[in-house]
Amino acid sequence: MTTTPPSSAIPSAFAAVDLGATSGRVILGRVGPENLDLTEAHRFPNTPVRLPDGLRWDVLALFQGVLDGLRAAARSGGVTSIGVDTWAVDYGLLDADGALLGHPYHYRDRRTDGAAEQVWARVGPEELYGVTGLQHLPFNTVFQLASAATSAQLRAARTLLLVPDLLVHWLTGTVGAEETNASTTGLFDARTGSWSKDILGRLSIDPNLLPPLRAPGDPAGTLLPHVAAYTGLDARTPVTTVASHDTASAVVAVPATEPNFAYISCGTWSLAGLELDAPVLTEASRAANFTNERGIDGTIRFLRNIMGMWLFEECRRTWDKRGLPTRIPALLADAARATPFAAVVDPDAPEFLAPGDMPDRIQEHCRSTGQPVPDSQGAVVRCILESLALAHRRTLRRAAELAGRDVTHVHLVGGGARNDLLCRLTADATGLPVVAGPTEATALGNILVQARAAGLVGDLPAMRRLVAATQHLRHYSPRGDMAAWDAAAARLDIARPDTARLDTARLDTAPRSS
């Protein structure tokens, strides 16, 4: 965890509940005028469960982990407030009594296959994008609801809560929908910052299913008596609405002190893009499959989802089962020694979406596209990281073109900032300086929004200056071998058929910037 210079005053402490796709944790953050210090109070696994009807999140185990984390935070001296962030799009349904109707589905469940066509039959993809500005992904909430349209659970439901809102509800008893996460559903109007009554009506979704919207910084409530009793926290402890989409929180903590920056929030997914004042709802933006998601203070996160370090972590899981080495430093050292550009893949190819034997799938992808097949762990990792760097390059160049913006440097935050080789490759591929860190950007953004609500920090630029002044950052300059990257990008565009892309051929018809 990061450390900061000592302060004569005792900084206020805030608890960030931060749930990712593979683990959750409660982070205790202490914030002062010159301090921003994190301590991990508790970490717990996030293990999905395969049930007869599909892949589900074990949300009860996650909530127990949250309670245990808050209990550990209380033992360390208590907290000023609590904020919750998680991944996007997935939701729980409550019945008329407020009881949960089954565990939330996992976004990687295949039940949404074909659901987009059901939605587009009522609201065409062009019109849907013109309202929501949302990147097409097969698991967007709007498509999940279409796949469940005739289910008994949805018929019985009275309230839909996205995962972070569900956890806040169980902590406080209150009901609301935080807007940065709401903007990922395909039911949110990117122009007005509200639920789209028109989209809901045309898709026959009861608008009463969706709770009132909350903005980051709004109070969400105080702890229920049984939560306070279990955790040892004061029942008056407030739960503050933060940017509950984990990427939105991560972007808060981008340590940008100069304009014209791009960002990559790199973890299981790589979220690469720009921060804008208004959405880009053009047909070119839709065709390039960029999303316009809400950030704090009315900002727009104009970005694309890239499959990210998921490929690497799935390889490690497979190798572990085979009894092969899985230590990250050794794998990265082997990758650094492997032949550059031997093979590249499209990280967003649909065969990489589901869990399973990732090394074999990568090798088969290379074989089917006429490339040399990586024959060692180091070669596979090199292929993954160079392919991610190419995806970062392609996405940021296209984002700048669509938004009419100049980009002079890149901030890479999140767990991927620990990966020295990926950071170097991203600087080389983009031809731009890369500032790597903070690694705990999501927790920092969560905590900073709480601190601002408590009056301890100022506006968004002030938050970012505090991050830049207190967190460990690494700087990478491009090494200038752009011809090799150009050749690899051209080879990737030839090797990847448009019909194999995760975002589907019909949505990827605009000219690409390699």
Side-chain angles (χ1 to χ4, degrees), residues 232-249:
L233 293 170
D234 192 311
R236 295 168 296 179
T237 302
V239 176
T240 299
T241 303
V242 298
S244 70
H245 183 356
D246 50 10
T247 305
S249 273

Side-chain angles (χ1 to χ4, degrees), residues 213-468:
L213 291 164
R214 293 169 171 162
D218 287 349
T222 54
L223 298 180
L224 290 167
H226 71 276
V227 172
Y230 181 86
T231 61
L233 293 170
D234 192 311
R236 295 168 296 179
T237 302
V239 176
T240 299
T241 303
V242 298
S244 70
H245 183 356
D246 50 10
T247 305
S249 273
V251 172
V252 170
V254 168
T257 57
E258 299 292 336
N260 299 325
F261 68 92
Y263 59 80
I264 303 169
S265 178
C266 185
T268 301
W269 293 86
S270 275
L271 296 307
L274 310 175
E275 185 173 76
L276 303 178
D277 296 327
V280 180
L281 302 176
T282 62
E283 175 60 17
S285 179
R286 183 196 74 84
N289 208 21
F290 274 78
T291 201
N292 295 268
E293 297 172 7
R294 208 79 169 175
I296 72 165
D297 300 345
T299 57
I300 299 296
R301 291 176 290 120
F302 184 61
L303 58 85
R304 274 195 61 157
N305 288 43
I306 303 165
M307 202 82 83
M309 295 301 290
W310 163 255
L311 281 74
F312 179 54
E313 291 304 324
E314 278 299 286
C315 284
R316 292 181 65 229
R317 275 187 278 275
T318 299
W319 289 331
D320 183 60
K321 291 177 182 178
R322 295 176 181 174
L324 296 172
T326 58
R327 290 187 64 252
I328 292 175
L331 290 174
L332 294 180
D334 288 345
R337 291 189 292 267
T339 303
F341 306 118
V344 290
V345 301
D346 179 6
D348 291 334
E351 60 263 37
F352 301 143
L353 179 62
D357 191 335
M358 193 64 70
D360 280 1
R361 279 182 276 172
I362 289 172
Q363 290 171 331
E364 178 55 34
H365 186 102
C366 294
R367 188 177 296 112
S368 67
T369 53
Q371 301 182 83
V373 176
D375 58 0
S376 68
Q377 288 177 277
V380 170
V381 175
R382 180 83 185 206
C383 173
I384 291 171
L385 297 185
E386 287 181 338
S387 299
L388 284 179
L390 283 168
H392 293 162
R393 159 192 164 124
R394 180 178 67 240
T395 300
L396 295 182
R397 289 187 177 189
R398 190 70 174 122
E401 178 185 352
L402 291 166
R405 290 276 296 270
D406 293 326
V407 174
T408 60
H409 56 293
V410 178
H411 286 275
L412 194 153
V413 302
R418 297 188 184 96
N419 190 320
D420 180 76
L421 181 56
L422 177 62
C423 295
R424 291 186 185 280
L425 293 173
T426 298
D428 293 344
T430 60
L432 296 171
V434 169
V435 181
T439 58
E440 298 290 351
T442 298
L444 285 167
N446 179 321
I447 287 162
L448 285 166
V449 171
Q450 294 184 64
R452 183 170 73 169
L456 295 181
V457 294
D459 58 10
L460 181 56
M463 294 185 202
R464 288 173 169 163
R465 287 193 297 270
L466 183 59
V467 174

Side-chain angles (χ1 to χ4, degrees), residues 24-27 39-44 64-66 68-70 72:
R25 64 265 183 86
V26 174
I27 303 288
T39 303
E40 185 175 287
H42 182 58
R43 180 179 289 266
F44 47 95
Q64 184 61 54
V66 170
D68 290 341
L70 294 177

